[in-house]
Amino acid sequence: SQKIEQNSEALNIQEGKTATLTCNYTNYSPAYLQWYRQDPGRGPVFLLLIRENEKEKRKERLKVTFDTTLKQSLFHITASQPADSATYLCAPVLYNQGGKLIFGQGTELSVKP
Amino acid sequence: NAGVTQTPKFHILKIGQSMTLQCTQDMNHNYMYWYRQDPGMGLKLIYYSVGAGITDKGEVPNGYNVSRSTTEDFPLRLELAAPSQTSVYFCASSSTGGSYNEQFFGPGTRLTVL
């Protein structure tokens, strides 16, 4: 069955540094990978989507990579700010999954001033 | 646009009771979803709908029922509540079922079954 793993331990970094979060998947080959941000007590909010034929995608201070050989996506936040503190969820998606997302457990990021 | 709204925000239910969690979206999306999220876990899909009158089971449907009589509304019914149904429930919607489509989530309902 499809398995998704994200860093289970919280990531604590200093303001201004780059945060790197990992999403590993096994037993399937997703065509897309979606990343969401979730703040405490709120629903997830979509951030970025990367396709299997895209090695890298950027949006402002965010950068996502997709390595289909390693079965891994990396999510980077450069020049991190305390406002970036949240839980980040990945959802690798098959081409014909019909919207039925399967999420990793999320990684909690804390950016200290 | 209000997006996806859910009611109630919090609720405490006694074992064996039933209740309905409400979800409404005003984006005219065809696809709607119900997820549950337990502490430290990712979201798990309970049920989904591809349009009015059409629903299907997700990963964890046992103990729940849904209906979709309109495009806007997708209520989730809990029958004979059990402590294992204590969780945070999120409703979401997307314009299509394409895997490239983002999902829009509601604020969640925190349910405790005692």
Side-chain angles (χ1 to χ4, degrees), chain A residues 32 34 36 38 42-44 46 49 89 93-95 97-101 104-105, chain B residues 31 33 35 37 40-43 45 48 90 97 99-103 105-107:
Chain A
Y32 308 91
Q34 299 191 19
Y36 288 77
Q38 186 175 23
R42 293 179 172 260
F46 175 81
L49 174 137
L89 302 162
V93 196
L94 293 169
Y95 180 76
Q97 205 156 310
K100 298 184 294 255
L101 298 184
Q105 77 271 35
Chain B
Y31 282 67
Y33 315 86
Y35 294 89
Q37 186 176 37
M41 307 289 286
L43 292 91
L45 183 65
Y48 68 101
F90 290 100
S99 297
Y100 46 83
N101 271 144
E102 67 178 284
Q103 293 189 10
F105 284 81

Side-chain angles (χ1 to χ4, degrees), chain A residues 6-44:
Chain A
Q6 296 185 248
N7 314 61
S8 56
E9 290 190 16
L11 182 63
N12 297 303
I13 65 166
Q14 207 67 32
E15 183 176 8
K17 301 291 186 185
T18 296
T20 299
L21 287 68
T22 304
C23 175
N24 294 302
Y25 56 90
T26 53
N27 298 332
Y28 71 123
S29 298
Y32 308 91
L33 210 144
Q34 299 191 19
W35 282 90
Y36 288 77
R37 168 184 172 139
Q38 186 175 23
D39 291 289
R42 293 179 172 260

Side-chain angles (χ1 to χ4, degrees), chain A:
Chain A
S1 61
Q2 299 170 359
K3 189 175 178 186
I4 304 161
E5 284 192 24
Q6 296 185 248
N7 314 61
S8 56
E9 290 190 16
L11 182 63
N12 297 303
I13 65 166
Q14 207 67 32
E15 183 176 8
K17 301 291 186 185
T18 296
T20 299
L21 287 68
T22 304
C23 175
N24 294 302
Y25 56 90
T26 53
N27 298 332
Y28 71 123
S29 298
Y32 308 91
L33 210 144
Q34 299 191 19
W35 282 90
Y36 288 77
R37 168 184 172 139
Q38 186 175 23
D39 291 289
R42 293 179 172 260
V45 175
F46 175 81
L47 293 175
L48 273 175
L49 174 137
I50 186 167
R51 301 168 193 264
E52 62 178 341
N53 60 354
E54 297 176 313
K55 297 298 182 192
E56 181 181 298
K57 192 131 181 213
R58 293 174 185 261
K59 180 182 176 183
E60 297 172 354
R61 294 183 296 112
L62 307 180
K63 185 179 87 171
V64 173
T65 63
F66 194 176
D67 190 326
T68 55
T69 301
L70 292 179
K71 291 187 176 293
Q72 180 181 80
S73 175
L74 297 179
F75 179 87
H76 306 272
I77 305 176
T78 58
S80 59
Q81 304 165 0
D84 296 325
S85 298
T87 295
Y88 292 85
L89 302 162
C90 72
V93 196
L94 293 169
Y95 180 76
N96 59 351
Q97 205 156 310
K100 298 184 294 255
L101 298 184
I102 300 174
F103 287 88
Q105 77 271 35
T107 298
E108 184 180 348
L109 172 67
S110 179
V111 181
K112 304 295 185 188

